Structures are given as C-alpha cells and as structure tokens.
Amino acid sequence: IMAALMGSFLSQLGSVSRLEANVRAQTRLDAAANHVGQQLENMRPIRLLDAEPDQQFYIDGKSDSVRVTIVTRQGISALALRDIRIYFDPADGGLYQTISPRRLVGGAPDLSAATATKITDNISALRFSYADGAAWDPAFSGDGELPDAVRVEVSAELNGRTITSSAIAAIN
C-alpha cells in the first residue's frame, strides 16, 4: 500500500511541477508583451531620422520588428525623445529593445549611443500587426500617419507546446 501511495504522490508532484513551469512561462510572456505594448503607447507622430526629407514616416512597422519615436522619462522631472526598435533575435531567442538618442552625425542617425536591452529570452517568435481601419496588416509605414493600434504577439515553446501572449497598444 505504501508503495502505491508513494507512486501516486510522485506522479502528482510531477504534474504540479509541469503546471508551475507552464504558469511561470506564460507569466513571463505576458509581462514581455505588456511591456512592448506600453512602450508603443508612448509613440509620437515624429518623423523617423532616416526618412527622406520629403517623407513623414513616423513608424517603420514590419511583422517581426518595429521602430518608432517615443517619449521616455529621464530622471525625475525630465522627458526626452528617443528612437526605439523592438525586435526578435532568432540566434539567441531574445526579445530586444534598442533605444537611441535622436541625433544626426553627417546626415545619418547616430547609433553610437544606442543601448540594447534584452526584454526576455527563450522565445520562438515575435509578430507585430498594425490596425489601420478595419483590418490588421503585417506591415505599416504610412506617410504622415500612425496606425490606430499595434498588436504584439510573443510565442515560446515549452514541453512540445507553443504558448503565446499578446497585447494591443492603442495609438490614436
């Protein structure tokens, strides 16, 4: 009887451990998706530095990355404009954001002061989609426009299953 009880206990312990790992992974993905969504809600209609002089591109939105200008807090009472790029690096499975000051050197954006931060790791996919009217599109680069919303989906593989989290950033 003791052996049967011990076997049952160990079996349930394994199930609880797998459930805990799933919850931990889902929470990590939820936090990453929400962070990206909050960053994108700080997007401002300011021309990207590398846009042509006659263009007013405010966003370089692709299905696997996005680049915009946001307002960030600098210290306690100061705000600053920064260019931000959010992307997935499949080489290490990391979700990154690169923030750089808005400076031109020789007519080109100065990326020497850019800082890359890993938001999370062990993801398998990142997908952005952009709402402009009634449909969600996989890319956006409207001249003089911002999308109405940006949806971010972050996915990871865990125990042979794909888990996904998403967030929507309302822009306009």
Side-chain angles (χ1 to χ4, degrees), residues 3 8 18 39-40 45 49 69 75 79-80 84 90 101 106 112 117 139 151:
S8 174
R18 281 189 298 280
Q39 289 287 60
L40 293 176
L49 284 178
T69 299
L79 299 174
I84 184 171
S112 64
T117 304
R151 179 174 52 205

Side-chain angles (χ1 to χ4, degrees), residues 61-77:
K62 299 182 173 96
S63 63
D64 61 349
S65 67
V66 64
R67 193 169 49 91
V68 298
T69 299
I70 64 168
V71 175
T72 62
R73 181 155 305 280
Q74 302 295 307
I76 295 173
S77 61

Side-chain angles (χ1 to χ4, degrees), residues 82-110:
R82 299 287 187 251
D83 284 349
I84 184 171
R85 179 174 175 245
I86 299 172
Y87 61 96
F88 167 59
D89 184 355
D92 70 353
L95 172 61
Y96 289 91
Q97 75 178 16
T98 301
I99 298 179
S100 57
R102 292 183 51 87
R103 282 191 290 233
L104 291 175
V105 173
D110 178 17

Side-chain angles (χ1 to χ4, degrees), residues 104-140:
L104 291 175
V105 173
D110 178 17
L111 300 177
S112 64
T115 57
T117 304
K118 185 183 277 190
I119 298 170
T120 191
D121 54 5
N122 298 324
I123 67 168
S124 58
L126 172 68
R127 186 172 60 227
F128 291 99
S129 50
Y130 307 88
D132 188 21
W136 289 96
D137 296 315
F140 188 90

